[in-house]
Amino acid sequence: MTVLSDARELAGDITDLRHRLHQEPEIGLQLPRTQEKVLEALQGLPFEISLGTDTTSVTAVLRGTGAGASASRPVVLLRGDMDALPLQERTGLEFSSRIDGAMHACGHDLHTSMLVGAATLLAHHRDQLAGDVVLMFQPGEEGYDGAGVMIREGVLDAAGRRADAAYGIHVMSAGASNGQFASRTGTLMSASDGLTVTVHGAGGHGSAPHQAQDPVTVIAEMVTALQVMVTRQFDMFDPVVLSVGVLQAGTKRNIIPDSARMEATVRSYTPESRAKLARVVPRLLEGIAAAHGVEVTVDYVTEYPPTVTDEGETGRAERVVGELFGEKRFTRMVNPLGGSEDFSRVLQQVPGTFVFLSAAPRQADAPAAYNHSPAATFDDGVLADGTALYTQLALSRMAELAG
């Protein structure tokens, strides 16, 4: 395939960009150094560039010059997220993060580099495009809803009309053989919501709890009651997950504190279960607090919706992977993943799909660390393949839309 061979010729440049991004990770919606590197890489290519207002996003539009282009030009969107995580890297790589407390532990440096590579290839194949391609370089995926910000600022209509199809790729540092692609039709990833709870009691001496209102025992009961609620009130075939990740109270062992606090992540896969969780979780916690005569503040925040892929677009991704790399390189996932993605917001409005690509080490002496681990590593060898897939998805979908 010409696209694949062209991508492999670019591998050195793509790898160099990935290493430079990895060394200077940035967190959240403001990624000025990352934006600068992307703009530098796009310089000289025939893209119409626009920058975000509330975030350092980059939107790049390529106008195809292929035969059949008309006023109702088809539009394909390709997305790559750019932000890092608040972790101290301990991979030992030569190009490890130079920024204390920040690391590209979820592979977004690979996504950005692959999308830049696709920009170069698509510009080279511009005469095969009878429509427009929108490249969505997105900050703030890791809990900042960067996709939502970019949608509000018009990325889905950046070419002058709504995108007809949208595609994203996400690398994984473990869990599958190196170079393997995977996706599924329908629900691919869970919805994500956040729960913050503060129990307000009355402090006192640890030797005399009857003279205080102990928030610690109350919040401990809440933690276990939430797990019972999950198993008793929700269908096992429509699962939900609630995991407490923060539990804070007190300063010394013989002091009953005034308050206790917890934070949890809540995952679900259907609108029905998600709506039910938002109702029953506060009710349960308020009931426990009332039973113990204390006050409670419950903050239940809806975050990312489930990532739901289009059947036709997922089938297209499978065919394109087969054409580029062979049928055995694509796996149809049986079950969704428990993680969440703000690309779900794009897929709510535009038919598309999301494809995982294993960048697990080719040879490892120990089990590979998963995404979000400070020891997670991603193989540069998959960069050309991801670049080729981005490019060919756009070319293939454009040809069909313009046909």
Side-chain angles (χ1 to χ4, degrees):
M1 296 291 294
T2 301
V3 165
L4 182 55
S5 59
D6 288 350
R8 287 174 176 168
E9 287 183 10
L10 287 176
D13 292 338
I14 302 170
T15 301
D16 176 70
L17 175 59
R18 185 255 162 151
H19 288 186
R20 289 188 288 117
L21 290 168
H22 193 89
Q23 289 176 318
E24 292 192 281
E26 297 175 290
I27 298 167
L29 293 171
Q30 303 303 322
L31 319 176
R33 293 188 303 272
T34 302
Q35 183 188 61
E36 181 181 358
K37 291 179 179 68
V38 170
L39 292 173
E40 180 185 0
L42 296 177
Q43 193 170 5
L45 297 176
F47 283 86
E48 300 171 8
I49 305 291
S50 59
L51 307 181
T53 301
D54 294 331
T55 180
T56 53
S57 62
V58 177
T59 301
V61 179
L62 178 66
R63 305 291 183 182
T65 59
S70 63
S72 58
R73 300 168 65 88
V75 179
V76 173
L77 182 145
L78 305 175
R79 178 268 207 162
D81 44 5
M82 305 190 294
D83 58 320
L85 286 160
L87 291 172
Q88 190 67 39
E89 182 167 354
R90 52 179 180 84
T91 63
L93 295 171
E94 292 181 0
F95 54 92
S96 291
S97 172
R98 297 173 179 171
I99 309 299
D100 285 341
M103 175 191 174
H104 272 296
C106 203
H108 297 187
D109 50 336
L110 283 82
H111 305 163
T112 304
S113 303
M114 293 187 300
L115 192 55
V116 166
T120 301
L121 295 187
L122 288 166
H124 178 70
H125 293 280
R126 189 181 185 187
D127 60 350
Q128 297 178 34
L129 296 170
D132 304 325
V133 179
V134 176
L135 305 185
M136 177 181 177
F137 291 94
Q138 179 208 311
E141 188 277 329
E142 298 288 359
Y144 296 87
D145 197 15
V149 175
M150 290 191 71
I151 289 170
R152 290 194 296 274
E153 293 187 350
V155 68
L156 301 184
D157 303 294
R161 59 182 297 271
R162 180 57 54 96
D164 297 288
Y167 305 101
I169 299 175
H170 202 299
V171 294
M172 307 296 285
S173 62
S177 299
N178 180 281
Q180 194 69 17
F181 296 89
S183 191
R184 73 191 303 270
T185 294
T187 302
L188 176 68
M189 302 178 73
S190 72
S192 173
D193 297 328
L195 173 67
T196 301
V197 180
T198 303
V199 177
H200 308 279
H205 199 286
S207 67
H210 61 288
Q211 295 175 349
Q213 289 181 306
D214 189 352
V216 176
T217 54
V218 177
I219 207 163
E221 182 177 330
M222 290 176 174
V223 171
T224 56
L226 287 167
Q227 302 309 314
V228 174
M229 176 207 70
V230 166
T231 64
R232 300 299 96 182
Q233 297 191 40
F234 289 87
D235 187 341
M236 69 175 71
F237 298 107
D238 182 10
V240 301
V241 173
L242 192 154
S243 294
V244 175
V246 174
L247 190 58
Q248 298 171 331
T251 58
K252 195 173 181 181
R253 68 188 183 200
N254 64 345
I255 300 174
I256 294 173
D258 284 328
S259 63
R261 179 176 176 275
M262 70 173 170
E263 296 181 23
T265 186
V266 187
R267 308 296 170 119
S268 58
Y269 295 91
T270 63
E272 293 78 16
S273 286
R274 193 182 194 194
K276 183 177 180 180
L277 282 162
R279 293 195 311 272
V280 302
V281 167
R283 183 182 68 193
L284 173 67
L285 299 176
E286 290 163 0
I288 293 172
H292 290 279
V294 298
E295 299 295 321
V296 65
T297 302
V298 180
D299 188 14
Y300 193 100
V301 179
T302 55
E303 297 171 343
Y304 298 163
T307 302
V308 181
T309 67
D310 178 79
E311 181 177 4
E313 299 301 347
T314 304
R316 175 177 304 283
E318 182 174 8
R319 291 193 300 274
V320 170
V321 168
E323 293 166 1
L324 287 171
F325 312 106
E327 294 179 359
K328 293 183 179 180
R329 289 279 299 276
F330 190 92
T331 299
R332 279 270 180 170
M333 297 163 57
V334 176
N335 297 312
L337 291 186
S340 303
E341 249 291 340
D342 66 353
F343 189 62
S344 57
R345 298 202 188 280
V346 175
L347 296 182
Q348 281 184 319
Q349 301 191 44
V350 178
T353 197
F354 196 61
V355 179
F356 296 108
L357 168 58
S358 174
R362 295 177 185 272
Q363 295 179 337
D365 298 329
Y370 280 83
N371 290 39
H372 287 221
S373 164
T377 61
F378 301 85
D379 178 29
D380 289 333
V382 306
L383 288 167
D385 290 357
T387 294
L389 181 58
Y390 268 134
T391 305
Q392 192 60 40
L393 282 171
L395 291 169
S396 171
R397 191 68 179 102
M398 190 74 68
E400 180 176 305
L401 286 166

